[in-house]
Amino acid sequence: MTIQEEKAYQELQILEERYPVLVPLHKEIAEAFSMMRDSFERGGKLLLCGNGGSSADSDHIVGELMKGFCKKRRISEELSSELKTLYGEEEAEYFTKHLEQGLPAIAFSAQTALHTAYSNDQDEALFYAQCLLGYGKKEDVLFGISTSGNAKNVGYALKLAKAMGIKSILLTGKDGGTGKELADLSIIAPSKETYQIQELHLPIYHCLCLMIEAYFFG
């Protein structure tokens, strides 16, 4: 195991110490980390979708990945040098001081204009699939969130991902629903109650974001 991986898995250990109920999900969380890590290393991005509170969670994940979460993420020396060459030392220092290196992530639910335009003309249940068709590449990962695993729009996106050769992760609960059979990997929070599933989803995806950040920026 590399030093980068050791730092990442320390975050998983902390999660399990704080939330013993999630210890049985060790393998699935570790696999999700590997899928996301490999995608980013290949130049891919994380594409997210969910409904209601899970839609807010997808936006939340974007916020943790696209800027610094718990670690400093200075822009590269090469970019800083190029900014200095183009615009002078003072402005380059301003960019370098305030910009943070991001990991590319897109929440489909945030595409408001596209959502309303598409839903006016087509079946709204296919909106997330439409977003995947436009954004998705084979090096990407689709990250669907559904507390029951039965959300139709997430399910259609998972089906299309399989047809497009895009790896998929489903963060869910209860028995995993129909989505469990569609996703390449399912992380099933151990609860039957929607609000409790959502409460467990947050530490799970926070841990994944911390693991990714520790690996790339630790």
Side-chain angles (χ1 to χ4, degrees), residues 147-148 174 191-201:
T147 55
S148 67
K174 300 183 181 179
S191 177
K192 303 295 184 184
E193 292 289 343
T194 297
Y195 76 93
Q196 293 177 3
I197 295 167
Q198 291 172 330
E199 288 172 357
L200 292 174
H201 279 181

Side-chain angles (χ1 to χ4, degrees), residues 41-60:
E41 286 189 326
R42 294 193 303 266
K45 53 192 177 292
L46 191 67
L47 302 171
L48 301 111
C49 58
N51 297 302
S54 298
S55 174
D57 286 327
S58 66
D59 253 350
H60 189 159

Side-chain angles (χ1 to χ4, degrees), residues 52-195:
S54 298
S55 174
D57 286 327
S58 66
D59 253 350
H60 189 159
I61 293 169
V62 171
E64 311 299 20
L65 292 176
M66 284 286 288
K67 57 175 286 299
F69 184 15
C70 290
K71 297 187 183 301
K72 298 291 186 183
R73 300 194 195 176
R74 292 177 62 85
I75 63 174
S76 68
E77 292 295 331
E78 293 81 3
L79 179 56
S80 182
S81 177
E82 183 65 17
L83 287 165
K84 184 176 179 181
T85 300
L86 290 169
Y87 308 116
E89 188 167 343
E90 184 176 347
E91 191 155 9
E93 184 178 345
Y94 176 76
F95 276 102
T96 302
K97 180 179 179 181
H98 296 288
L99 286 180
E100 302 172 321
Q101 186 65 45
L103 292 162
I106 300 171
F108 291 163
S109 56
Q111 314 295 301
T112 309
L114 175 59
H115 191 172
T116 54
Y118 182 82
S119 300
N120 188 58
D121 298 331
Q122 303 295 344
D123 183 355
E124 188 174 17
L126 286 167
F127 173 67
Y128 290 155
Q130 178 66 38
C131 289
L132 182 67
L133 184 63
Y135 286 119
K137 305 294 181 186
K138 287 189 175 181
E139 60 268 23
D140 299 335
V141 169
L142 175 68
F143 195 109
I145 310 174
S146 170
T147 55
S148 67
N150 294 320
K152 281 187 177 181
N153 50 6
V154 174
Y156 283 134
L158 291 170
K159 286 182 176 180
L160 186 64
K162 191 176 293 291
M164 294 176 66
I166 295 172
K167 293 291 185 182
S168 62
I169 299 167
L170 177 66
L171 183 58
T172 185
K174 300 183 181 179
D175 63 359
T178 57
K180 179 177 68 173
E181 305 304 322
L182 299 172
D184 293 301
L185 171 68
S186 293
I187 304 174
I188 304 175
S191 177
K192 303 295 184 184
E193 292 289 343
T194 297
Y195 76 93

Side-chain angles (χ1 to χ4, degrees), residues 2-46:
T2 66
I3 293 175
Q4 290 170 294
E5 290 170 330
E6 286 179 4
K7 290 180 178 179
Y9 278 96
Q10 284 172 6
E11 299 294 346
L12 181 52
Q13 182 180 348
I14 292 169
L15 173 74
E16 292 171 347
E17 289 171 354
R18 295 182 64 216
Y19 295 89
V21 69
L22 298 178
V23 171
L25 299 181
H26 179 99
K27 180 181 177 182
E28 288 82 359
I29 294 172
E31 188 175 345
F33 159 70
S34 296
M35 289 171 65
M36 292 166 62
R37 176 202 62 199
D38 293 348
S39 172
F40 287 131
E41 286 189 326
R42 294 193 303 266
K45 53 192 177 292
L46 191 67

